Amino acid sequence: MAQLQLANLRKSFGQVQVIKGLDLAISDGEFVVFVGPSGCGKSTTLRMIAGLEDATSGTILLDGGDLTRARPADRSIAMVFQSYALFPHMTVADNIGFGLQLKGTDRATITARVAEVAGTLHLAPLLARYPRELSGGQRQRVAIGRAIIRNPKVFLFDEPLSNLDAALRVQMRLEIARLHQRLRATMVYVTHDQVEAMTLANRIVVFNDGRIEQVGTPMDLYERPANRFVAGFIGAPSMNFLPVRTNGSLIDWPGIAPLALPAGKAQVVELGIRPEHLVAVEEADADIAGDIEIIERLGAETYAYVRVAGQPADLTLRLPGETGHRPGSRIGLKLDWSRAHWFDADGRVL
Amino acid sequence: MEQHNRFWRIALLGLPLGLFGLFVVWPLFSSFYYSFTDWNGFDTNYSFVGFDNFAKIATDRLFLQAAINTTIWMAAAIILPTTLGLMLALLLDSRVAGARVFKSIFYLPICLSAVIVGQIWTWIYQPDWGLLNTIISQITGEKFKYAWLAKPDTALWSVIVAWSWQQTGLAMVIYLAGLTAIPGDLLEVCEIEGASPWQRFRRVVLPLLAPSTVVVVALSVINSLKGFDILYIMTGGGPFNSSDTLAMHMYNESFKKYLMGYGSAISVVLFLIALAIIGLYFRQLRKVDRIYG
Ligand SMILES: Nc1ncnc2c1ncn2[C@@H]1O[C@H](COP(=O)(O)OP(=O)(O)OP(=O)(O)O)[C@@H](O)[C@H]1O
Ligand SMILES: [Mg+2]
């Protein structure tokens, strides 16, 4: 059992409050991913859970027990750092067995446990090496090995894969997913990578400026963002935002014929639509039309950036990999109105 | 262009190499040469005596005394400043109040020349009005008179204390730099894994300071081998050769007894000892290199 609960957690550095009251319940075996812009307090929150940073106020509960003031070592929590934080003067085996050695576990037991952990992480042939003789991915596996050997209740990961190249990142992402399936442990994972967040998370927590904007499953956040911030943050390429003016019961929108306003959306000032919910059509059938500025081909799909008169920003549009559209050509766009997001002046979804 | 470059390369390399040859290589080889003679240092008439000088070393009671003293001197001059410097660095690194002031104070002595340090400590050890005896008198309440530098039992150790006082600051500064270079997340791993302060020091901090230790020990070895001036100032090797080191012995034999040939033989032995120490040191260095690159 490892149920983690944060209640009204706050943290100030000097006069500056960086964590402004967090409430979050993480259930046993859950994989929770923290995302948010740089400096929003993800690492600080993680470090408070680990006990590396003292909470200014609020509580951290693990299975009901208060560990807000507990020493890091007494929390049954393991942390994997972005920098791997391996001891350069110890072999892989000693790095993994470090915690057991400190406790004075007997040599035979340590050797056996290290071998077991190394086996599951494909590190067995590397046990005698020093960290600087390993690749980035191997180093990160050693760091994970050091974490799992202690059977902690909660795993904390702070951007563990961001120092790896793209291919290795995909591979390690799968390994972490496998690890979670196998251990069924509670994991809290910080990342900047949308794909990591979407694929690994049971639930994603979106941070902004020391507060939680929204918590939900990946598809929840993707399909039903609570506000403009989450809508813009989740999804790559990000959602298109189109300012609108309402004219009584009609949307008054430069470039297109006035539209009837759906019920309950009277306060709308901005419309959000994801790139895949814009459909390329003949200009005659289009809601809006514009000129293609740039085409980005990714192979399986293509992104088109479309300049529309009266819109402050280009609209992004997702097209199939093989597309006849060319930069400079005219394109008509139809909105999938059922997938549109309506925001009021405060950025809240209507 | 090519010609021009070559000229400068040779010229710029030539000057330091020339000076090195003149002041290091040439005296080295002439020492080897004179060690097989009975030259007195100024006479143009001298004869070759084969290995006589080296045979004499084997039976020279003063040489043995000096060799023992040198061993004590070097061991103490390496171990004391290194450990004291490390302790000070650990203390001052943990953000005690006024750490910056203390750092400067402890570093100050290294800016003084050995001659001045020797003079300061000679005053401190002065039997009648020296600081040390005055303090002891104050504490015990009765007049304390002890000639620290004039007693065979304490002369060498008194100089070692003075020497360590000067050298500790250097070790401290190097260790302080080493401590700041230890990545913070490694210390955080210690916290999470539950290392005690001693375990953290013994298993993580000390090994990670190995590159600093290499530098500190190297400087201590070099400085202590050169540590002739402070002994010369404070005791001159006395009393009764109780603080004689090999360097001091060599100087006395060569320039006081005018046995330049014998002095050269001692210097040759000293050179070979230094070579052996450096050899051991480089082997150690390679180990450190494998880990820290
Ligand atoms: N030790 C500290 N002293 C003062 N301010 C700090 C300290 N650590 C973090 N901060 C501040 O707290 C805020 C949150 O930092 P934190 O490292 O948690 O951000 P983050 O979300 O992890 O960002 P990133 O995505 O860039 O890693 C930042 O504004 C940062 O400047
Ligand atoms: Mg961070």
Coordinates of all heavy atoms in Angstrom, one line a residue, chain B residues 210-243:
Chain B
A210 N 39.2 12.9 -3.7 CA 40.5 12.3 -4.2 C 41.3 13.2 -5.1 O 42.5 13.4 -4.9 CB 40.3 11.0 -4.8
P211 N 40.7 13.9 -6.1 CA 41.5 14.8 -6.9 C 42.1 15.9 -6.1 O 43.3 16.3 -6.4 CB 40.5 15.3 -7.9 CG 39.4 14.3 -8.0 CD 39.3 13.8 -6.6
S212 N 41.4 16.4 -5.1 CA 42.0 17.5 -4.3 C 43.1 16.9 -3.4 O 44.1 17.5 -3.3 CB 40.9 18.1 -3.4 OG 39.8 18.5 -4.1
T213 N 42.9 15.7 -2.9 CA 43.9 15.1 -2.1 C 45.2 14.9 -2.9 O 46.3 15.1 -2.4 CB 43.4 13.7 -1.5 OG1 42.2 14.0 -0.8 CG2 44.4 13.1 -0.6
V214 N 45.0 14.5 -4.1 CA 46.2 14.3 -5.0 C 47.0 15.6 -5.1 O 48.2 15.6 -4.9 CB 45.7 13.9 -6.4 CG1 46.9 14.0 -7.4 CG2 45.2 12.4 -6.4
V215 N 46.3 16.7 -5.2 CA 47.0 18.0 -5.3 C 47.6 18.4 -4.0 O 48.8 18.8 -3.9 CB 46.0 19.1 -5.8 CG1 46.6 20.4 -5.8 CG2 45.4 18.8 -7.2
V216 N 46.8 18.2 -2.9 CA 47.3 18.6 -1.6 C 48.6 17.8 -1.2 O 49.6 18.4 -0.8 CB 46.2 18.4 -0.5 CG1 46.8 18.6 0.9 CG2 45.1 19.4 -0.7
V217 N 48.5 16.5 -1.5 CA 49.6 15.7 -1.1 C 50.8 16.0 -2.0 O 51.9 16.1 -1.5 CB 49.2 14.2 -1.2 CG1 50.4 13.3 -1.0 CG2 48.2 13.8 -0.1
A218 N 50.6 16.2 -3.2 CA 51.7 16.5 -4.1 C 52.4 17.8 -3.7 O 53.6 17.8 -3.5 CB 51.2 16.7 -5.6
L219 N 51.6 18.8 -3.4 CA 52.2 20.1 -2.9 C 52.9 19.9 -1.6 O 54.0 20.4 -1.3 CB 51.1 21.1 -2.7 CG 50.5 21.7 -4.1 CD1 49.4 22.7 -3.8 CD2 51.6 22.4 -4.8
S220 N 52.3 19.1 -0.7 CA 52.9 18.8 0.6 C 54.3 18.1 0.5 O 55.2 18.5 1.1 CB 52.0 18.0 1.5 OG 50.8 18.6 1.7
V221 N 54.3 17.1 -0.4 CA 55.5 16.4 -0.6 C 56.6 17.3 -1.2 O 57.7 17.4 -0.7 CB 55.3 15.2 -1.6 CG1 56.7 14.6 -2.1 CG2 54.4 14.2 -1.0
I222 N 56.2 18.1 -2.2 CA 57.2 19.0 -2.8 C 57.6 20.0 -1.8 O 58.8 20.3 -1.6 CB 56.5 19.7 -4.0 CG1 56.3 18.7 -5.1 CG2 57.4 20.8 -4.6 CD1 55.4 19.1 -6.2
N223 N 56.7 20.6 -1.1 CA 57.0 21.6 -0.1 C 57.9 21.1 1.0 O 58.8 21.8 1.5 CB 55.8 22.3 0.5 CG 55.1 23.2 -0.5 OD1 55.7 23.6 -1.5 ND2 53.9 23.5 -0.3
S224 N 57.6 19.9 1.5 CA 58.3 19.3 2.6 C 59.7 18.9 2.2 O 60.7 19.0 3.0 CB 57.6 18.2 3.2 OG 57.6 17.1 2.4
L225 N 59.8 18.4 0.9 CA 61.2 18.1 0.4 C 62.0 19.4 0.4 O 63.2 19.4 0.6 CB 61.1 17.5 -0.9 CG 60.8 16.0 -1.0 CD1 60.6 15.6 -2.4 CD2 62.0 15.2 -0.4
K226 N 61.3 20.5 0.1 CA 62.0 21.8 0.0 C 62.1 22.4 1.4 O 62.7 23.5 1.5 CB 61.3 22.7 -0.9 CG 61.3 22.3 -2.4 CD 60.8 23.5 -3.2 CE 59.6 24.1 -2.7 NZ 59.0 25.2 -3.6
G227 N 61.5 21.8 2.4 CA 61.4 22.4 3.7 C 62.7 22.5 4.4 O 62.9 22.0 5.5
F228 N 63.6 23.2 3.8 CA 64.9 23.4 4.4 C 65.0 24.7 5.2 O 65.5 24.8 6.2 CB 65.9 23.3 3.3 CG 67.3 23.8 3.6 CD1 68.2 22.9 4.3 CD2 67.7 25.1 3.3 CE1 69.4 23.4 4.7 CE2 69.0 25.5 3.7 CZ 69.8 24.7 4.4
D229 N 64.4 25.7 4.6 CA 64.6 27.1 5.1 C 64.0 27.3 6.5 O 64.7 27.8 7.3 CB 64.0 28.1 4.1 CG 62.8 27.6 3.4 OD1 62.2 26.6 3.8 OD2 62.4 28.2 2.4
I230 N 62.8 26.7 6.8 CA 62.2 26.9 8.1 C 63.0 26.2 9.2 O 63.2 26.7 10.3 CB 60.7 26.5 8.1 CG1 60.1 27.0 9.3 CG2 60.6 25.0 8.0 CD1 58.6 27.0 9.3
L231 N 63.6 25.0 8.8 CA 64.4 24.3 9.8 C 65.7 25.1 10.0 O 66.2 25.2 11.1 CB 64.8 22.9 9.3 CG 63.7 21.8 9.6 CD1 64.0 20.6 8.7 CD2 63.8 21.4 11.0
Y232 N 66.2 25.6 8.9 CA 67.5 26.3 9.0 C 67.3 27.5 9.9 O 68.2 27.8 10.7 CB 67.9 26.7 7.6 CG 69.2 27.4 7.5 CD1 70.4 26.7 7.6 CD2 69.3 28.8 7.4 CE1 71.6 27.3 7.5 CE2 70.5 29.4 7.3 CZ 71.7 28.7 7.4 OH 72.9 29.3 7.3
I233 N 66.2 28.2 9.7 CA 65.9 29.4 10.5 C 65.7 29.1 12.0 O 66.3 29.7 12.9 CB 64.6 30.1 10.0 CG1 64.9 30.8 8.7 CG2 64.2 31.2 11.0 CD1 65.7 32.0 8.7
M234 N 64.9 28.0 12.2 CA 64.5 27.8 13.6 C 65.5 27.0 14.5 O 65.6 27.3 15.6 CB 63.1 27.1 13.6 CG 62.0 28.0 13.1 SD 60.4 27.3 13.1 CE 60.0 27.2 14.9
T235 N 66.1 26.0 13.9 CA 67.0 25.1 14.7 C 68.3 24.9 14.0 O 69.3 24.6 14.7 CB 66.4 23.7 14.9 OG1 66.3 23.1 13.6 CG2 65.0 23.8 15.5
G236 N 68.4 25.1 12.7 CA 69.7 24.8 12.0 C 70.1 23.4 12.1 O 71.2 23.0 11.9
G237 N 69.1 22.5 12.4 CA 69.3 21.1 12.5 C 69.6 20.6 14.0 O 69.6 19.4 14.3
G238 N 69.8 21.6 14.8 CA 70.2 21.2 16.2 C 69.0 21.0 17.1 O 67.9 21.0 16.6
P239 N 69.1 20.9 18.4 CA 70.4 20.7 19.0 C 70.8 19.2 18.9 O 70.0 18.3 18.9 CB 70.0 21.0 20.5 CG 68.6 20.7 20.6 CD 68.0 21.0 19.3
F240 N 72.1 19.1 18.9 CA 72.8 17.7 18.7 C 72.2 17.0 17.5 O 71.8 15.8 17.6 CB 72.7 16.9 20.0 CG 73.0 17.7 21.2 CD1 72.0 17.9 22.2 CD2 74.3 18.2 21.4 CE1 72.4 18.6 23.3 CE2 74.6 19.0 22.5 CZ 73.6 19.2 23.5
N241 N 71.9 17.7 16.4 CA 71.4 17.1 15.2 C 70.0 16.4 15.4 O 69.6 15.6 14.6 CB 72.3 16.0 14.6 CG 73.7 16.5 14.5 OD1 74.6 16.4 15.3 ND2 73.9 17.1 13.3
S242 N 69.3 16.8 16.4 CA 68.0 16.2 16.7 C 66.9 16.6 15.7 O 65.9 16.0 15.6 CB 67.5 16.6 18.1 OG 67.4 18.0 18.2
S243 N 67.2 17.8 15.0 CA 66.2 18.2 14.0 C 66.9 18.2 12.6 O 66.4 18.9 11.7 CB 65.6 19.5 14.3 OG 66.6 20.5 14.4

